[in-house]
């Protein structure tokens, strides 16, 4: 689970079935508020790829319920297959 800091904290508090360290906080492009030159989308994609590799999931699809287009493109550039995870969430 990847979300804003306060949301990630709430996932830990109110969704114990996710596990203690299963909700990560991160800031992406804030819906276009950050310049593409800041590299935020690419940074998010790299962090997610590291987590997927750490758990042996690098070749598995990544379910996403909502995503900013720059982040989607950065994930795809990292070789991550993004799929619709909205119904699951």
């Amino acid at each position: 689970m990847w979300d804003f800091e306060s949301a990630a904290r709430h996932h830990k508090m109110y969704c114990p079935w996710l596990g203690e360290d299963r909700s990560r906080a991160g800031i992406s492009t804030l819906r276009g508020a950050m310049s593409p030159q800041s590299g935020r989308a690419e940074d998010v994609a790299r962090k997610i790829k590291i987590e997927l590799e750490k758990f042996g999931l690098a070749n598995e699809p990544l379910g996403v319920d909502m995503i900013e287009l720059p982040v989607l493109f950065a994930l795809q550039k990292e070789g991550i297959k993004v799929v619709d995870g909205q119904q699951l969430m």
Side-chain angles (χ1 to χ4, degrees):
M1 178 78 72
W2 212 279
D3 216 327
F4 287 99
E5 180 68 35
S6 59
R9 194 173 323 120
H10 281 109
H11 297 318
K12 287 182 181 183
M13 291 169 51
Y14 301 113
C15 303
W17 58 88
L18 293 175
E20 179 63 27
D21 293 323
R22 299 293 297 274
S23 186
R24 302 283 194 272
I27 297 175
S28 58
T29 63
L30 298 173
R31 297 184 182 161
M34 294 190 165
S35 166
Q37 288 76 24
S38 71
R40 292 301 313 147
E42 293 78 12
D43 184 54
V44 169
R46 278 191 299 276
K47 288 178 180 178
I48 291 173
K49 184 174 184 174
I50 289 168
E51 291 297 316
L52 292 171
E53 288 171 344
K54 185 164 82 172
F55 292 98
L57 300 170
N59 296 317
E60 298 297 323
L62 175 66
V64 175
D65 65 337
M66 292 174 36
I67 194 166
E68 298 164 331
L69 287 176
V71 175
L72 171 64
F73 300 149
L75 288 167
Q76 291 172 333
K77 191 173 180 181
E78 288 287 340
I80 298 169
K81 180 181 179 185
V82 178
V83 298
D84 183 3
Q86 200 166 45
Q87 294 303 308
L88 177 65
M89 297 307 292

